[in-house]
Amino acid sequence: IDTETDDNLLELYLKAARIDVENYLQRSLGIRTIQLLAQRLPDNYKLPWGPVESVDTADYTLFGDILKEGGLDVNIEYTTNASLVNSSIKQAIYKRAFDYYENRGSAGPMPDIVKIILNPYRRVVFP
């Protein structure tokens, strides 16, 4: 990468790649606060986009990523952490960013090699 323009592009591609990886994994790769609104939530509900650090709303408790209490008209906030990030996930982000860079303007779906790297960490939800 020789120019400042390419440096700026790479920064954008790395951010886009991280977002792609998070969406593929259905998990958070950083610390963020998420608000969950539900008309009805069952007891022992596995919170999406974990790993979950804490529930910030009173009267709710966690067991891992599982919210013990359900209820009606639920409005809770919880915080995720960055514990999922490891060298394999970083490698997948770099490979996806490289794909964006190599195919500027025409990057397609996530490459199979990236999916293979990420599959062990993926949160799969069945309907």
Side-chain angles (χ1 to χ4, degrees):
I1 298 179
D2 307 359
T3 67
E4 189 174 314
T5 301
D6 282 350
D7 287 344
N8 293 335
L9 274 177
L10 187 56
E11 185 178 329
L12 291 173
Y13 293 152
L14 281 167
K15 183 175 182 178
R18 182 191 52 78
I19 291 168
D20 283 353
V21 166
E22 283 184 323
N23 286 332
Y24 183 78
L25 292 174
Q26 297 178 17
R27 300 180 91 182
S28 175
L29 297 178
I31 298 169
R32 63 181 50 136
T33 299
I34 297 175
Q35 183 175 22
L36 175 68
L37 301 171
Q39 289 180 336
R40 169 176 272 177
L41 199 66
D43 289 344
N44 300 313
Y45 178 76
K46 184 168 176 109
L47 291 169
W49 296 94
V52 177
E53 180 71 25
S54 63
V55 174
D56 305 326
T57 305
D59 300 325
Y60 289 95
T61 52
L62 280 177
F63 180 74
D65 285 351
I66 296 173
L67 184 67
K68 288 178 150 187
E69 302 83 11
L72 300 174
D73 297 324
V74 174
N75 180 357
I76 65 167
E77 284 190 357
Y78 61 96
T79 303
T80 63
N81 65 45
S83 66
L84 184 65
V85 179
N86 60 33
S87 60
S88 294
I89 290 175
K90 288 178 186 178
Q91 179 186 24
I93 292 169
Y94 296 149
K95 285 186 179 296
R96 180 58 170 154
F98 176 77
D99 178 59
Y100 277 130
Y101 185 78
E102 281 292 300
N103 299 295
R104 290 181 285 279
S106 63
M110 189 177 295
D112 288 340
I113 186 65
V114 175
K115 291 179 182 180
I116 289 168
I117 293 167
L118 294 174
N119 278 339
Y121 309 101
R122 191 169 188 206
R123 180 176 189 263
V124 180
V125 178
F126 296 99

